[in-house]
Amino acid sequence: MKDLVINTPVSKADIEYFSGLGVSVVHNEEPLEARYNVDALGKYHGDAQVALFPTTTLQVSDILAYCNQRRIGVVTQGGNSGVCGGATAHRGEVILSLRDMNKVRDMDVISGVLVAESGCVLEDLDNYAQKQGYTVPVDLGARKKCMIGGNVSTNAGGLRYLRYGSMHGSVLGLEVVLPDGQILDSLFTLKKDASGYDIKQLFIGAEGTLGVVTAVAISLAPKPRASQLAVLGLQDFSKIQRAFILARQYLGEIVSAFEFWEKRCNELVVEYESYDSLLSNSHEFYVLIETRGSCLRHDMEKLDTFLECLRGEELIDESRVVRDAEDMDRTWLFRSQMAHAHSKSGHMHVYDFSLPSKYQYELLVAVKSHLEQAGLYGKPGLPVSDVTIFGHVGDDNIHLQVIAREFGGVVEETMEPWVYEWVGSHGGSVAAEHGLGSHKGQFLKYSKSPVLIELMKSIKQMLNPNGIMNPGKHVSRA
């Protein structure tokens, strides 16, 4: 069940139609500039010559109805902060940018439910919510650029998934324009609803293949009255796992993040971002723990008791507690710049897996061994300079980075599909939070059953029969 070949070129008459809708249009006889045609890591390069900037849902509806009739492919784009090519046009499609649909439509300060248009930048939305005493439950390193519609469409996870869970749980309702232009108004703002199928869930993580999310109703979390961080230095991955068990026991309801990274990740941030290391000494592994609660004295006591327990079991070699607001921001910035530092050191092949914790370090060992046996890694001058891992311990999400001299080539051929087979055979998922995009759909078979894949394709065929929405991506490649 493949997408129809979408190759209808955008004509002068098409441009005139779009302009007549009152939509801003950017077009060129050559591919548009990089901000429309290149992904965040510079790996995926598109060929779009037309970008549309609607300001209303009705304009989106008119655009999709027209494109569906004319068989013009459409790629929806928000902040273009993704790393899987999901928002990049590869077949001359038009870019449908939602950046100008950036209004907060409603905020219920009693229930903590916010309704916002898809083009709202995540950080701006969180700043708005905090003024009302709330916080947006999803937080990402790309918060200054990514938009809430893209967060929903990729089912973004992020740094505080451990505390707040997924978009599937936070999103109460959606407004979606279907491929034929129909507007699906499912902007439900109540937290309980047992009246039929929960259709909105289909669009969370669909990456724009089923329609365009134009507005989101999201349940916010209370703004924490007290927050603190602890940075730990450890020498063994098994000690991280034990520390996490103890964190859940001793910190309980206040733990909101539990991040880890290895020594080489730390060195790359220090080298390429010119930041000071978070700890005085060098360690094989680092852990960053955040607590969020309502009483700082109470939370301080719990954290101090937890750290005493870690020292008593000889799990940590160094620790630092951070409670000053500016210092906490700097600490999180160090963690958030990790991917950026890797990308500065070379061409970063990034893999985003869900994997049981007991296999996460084993994955790093296996990848290094695999690349060494292929003669690509382990000595200066070889194609691969670094192989690293970091991730979110609390939700089993691990990021694997293979730093090479170039994208693709022998490194990618050696890694794929081998690494996806390895993850699938160890009970993992080939895509944890970055999505499938234009590349990873072909590996879906390693973590999803044939019946499930065919069901997903059937849903896509029903809602997007002409294949105009983000063609050739996501489940289309499975």
Side-chain angles (χ1 to χ4, degrees):
M1 192 180 296
K2 299 291 185 181
D3 284 329
L4 299 179
V5 176
I6 304 297
N7 57 6
T8 304
V10 180
S11 66
K12 182 179 179 180
D14 297 328
I15 298 296
E16 291 175 351
Y17 175 81
F18 296 137
S19 298
L21 296 175
V23 173
S24 296
V25 181
V26 175
H27 62 96
N28 200 327
E29 293 184 0
E30 301 295 328
L32 298 175
E33 58 189 287
R35 61 174 167 161
Y36 303 116
N37 272 324
V38 182
D39 79 306
L41 295 180
K43 180 178 182 179
Y44 298 99
H45 293 253
D47 57 4
Q49 297 177 342
V50 179
L52 309 177
F53 301 88
T55 57
T56 69
T57 301
L58 285 176
Q59 287 177 339
V60 175
S61 173
D62 289 339
I63 290 169
L64 290 193
Y66 182 85
C67 288
N68 192 54
Q69 183 179 27
R70 290 268 293 126
R71 304 298 193 267
I72 296 172
V74 178
V75 173
T76 309
Q77 198 172 93
N80 198 24
S81 58
V83 297
C84 296
T88 307
H90 297 291
R91 302 180 178 185
E93 305 97 330
V94 300
I95 295 292
L96 182 63
S97 172
L98 299 181
R99 72 175 192 191
D100 294 337
M101 295 185 65
N102 52 20
K103 299 180 181 64
V104 173
R105 294 186 183 177
D106 187 47
M107 171 72 197
D108 188 329
V109 296
I110 299 175
S111 64
V113 176
L114 180 144
V115 180
E117 294 179 339
S118 288
C120 291
V121 174
L122 179 60
E123 184 174 69
D124 295 341
L125 206 58
D126 189 56
N127 289 338
Y128 177 91
Q130 292 208 29
K131 291 177 182 177
Q132 314 297 323
Y134 292 91
T135 185
V136 178
V138 64
D139 187 24
L140 310 173
R143 66 183 69 83
K144 294 180 180 295
K145 186 178 181 183
C146 67
M147 299 176 185
I148 192 65
N151 301 150
V152 169
S153 296
T154 57
N155 189 25
L159 303 170
R160 298 188 176 95
Y161 192 104
L162 173 63
R163 175 70 171 271
Y164 300 123
S166 74
M167 300 300 289
H168 282 291
S170 298
V171 172
L172 301 177
L174 294 175
E175 178 184 81
V176 182
V177 180
L178 300 178
D180 63 0
Q182 291 188 84
I183 298 173
L184 175 64
D185 184 357
S186 182
L187 270 178
F188 199 73
T189 58
L190 299 179
K191 297 176 181 177
K192 296 183 74 174
D193 178 23
S195 56
Y197 300 122
D198 193 3
I199 297 297
K200 72 175 183 293
Q201 299 293 349
L202 290 175
F203 301 94
I204 301 174
E207 299 181 43
T209 60
L210 303 181
V212 177
V213 175
T214 50
V216 181
I218 188 168
S219 178
L220 303 176
K223 179 181 177 181
R225 298 177 62 86
S227 186
Q228 56 184 343
L229 302 175
V231 185
L232 314 177
L234 312 89
Q235 295 303 314
D236 187 86
F237 190 77
S238 64
K239 293 184 177 181
I240 296 178
Q241 296 169 319
R242 176 60 181 163
F244 177 62
I245 293 172
L246 294 173
R248 288 188 293 182
Q249 293 175 354
Y250 281 82
L251 300 176
E253 77 287 351
I254 65 171
V255 63
S256 53
F258 196 107
E259 302 288 296
F260 89 94
W261 59 93
E262 56 157 320
K263 180 179 181 180
R264 185 57 182 151
C265 297
N266 207 75
E267 294 172 345
L268 289 172
V269 176
V270 171
E271 179 179 356
Y272 288 96
E273 301 296 331
S274 300
Y275 293 163
D276 292 333
S277 180
L278 299 179
L279 294 176
S280 300
N281 301 310
S282 178
H283 304 275
E284 290 301 315
F285 295 96
Y286 298 80
V287 163
L288 173 61
I289 300 172
E290 180 189 67
T291 71
R292 288 183 152 198
S294 58
C295 177
L296 182 58
R297 179 183 57 80
H298 168 268
D299 296 352
M300 289 172 60
E301 291 177 357
K302 295 188 77 166
L303 182 60
D304 291 342
T305 301
F306 166 68
L307 293 176
E308 288 177 10
C309 180
L310 296 186
R311 296 186 191 101
E313 292 196 19
E314 299 183 346
L315 296 177
I316 58 175
D317 299 314
E318 186 180 359
S319 65
R320 183 168 72 93
V321 175
V322 183
R323 293 186 174 115
D324 175 76
E326 291 186 2
D327 200 4
M328 285 194 291
D329 288 342
R330 285 192 294 268
T331 302
W332 269 121
L333 187 61
F334 188 98
R335 165 62 183 87
S336 297
Q337 292 300 307
M338 208 151 284
H340 194 236
H342 278 75
S343 67
K344 285 183 177 180
S345 72
H347 291 77
M348 180 172 65
H349 296 73
V350 59
Y351 298 95
D352 162 54
F353 300 127
S354 281
L355 191 64
S357 178
K358 59 185 177 182
Y359 299 126
Q360 289 180 359
Y361 186 69
E362 188 178 330
L363 170 66
L364 178 66
V365 174
V367 170
K368 287 183 175 181
S369 175
H370 182 69
L371 291 171
E372 286 175 352
Q373 291 176 18
L376 301 176
Y377 172 73
K379 297 178 182 178
L382 293 179
V384 175
S385 59
D386 278 306
V387 181
T388 68
I389 55 170
F390 63 86
H392 322 295
V393 176
D395 56 28
D396 288 331
N397 181 191
I398 187 169
H399 301 296
L400 168 71
Q401 292 69 230
V402 177
I403 310 301
R405 288 199 293 252
E406 62 182 0
F407 287 124
V410 65
V411 174
E412 189 168 291
E413 291 172 1
T414 302
M415 285 293 295
E416 302 172 11
W418 174 84
V419 70
Y420 293 102
E421 293 175 343
W422 194 98
V423 168
S425 68
H426 288 77
S429 169
V430 301
E433 63 179 2
H434 292 170
L436 295 174
S438 63
H439 182 66
K440 290 191 288 185
Q442 62 187 307
F443 307 117
L444 195 56
K445 62 185 178 182
Y446 296 115
S447 58
K448 301 293 185 185
S449 71
V451 173
L452 185 53
I453 291 173
E454 287 305 311
L455 180 59
M456 287 192 282
K457 288 183 175 182
S458 297
I459 292 171
K460 179 176 178 292
Q461 179 65 23
M462 179 185 68
L463 292 176
N464 183 23
N466 292 328
I468 68 163
M469 302 304 303
N470 223 355
K473 301 195 185 83
H474 199 252
V475 73
S476 297
R477 298 212 62 190

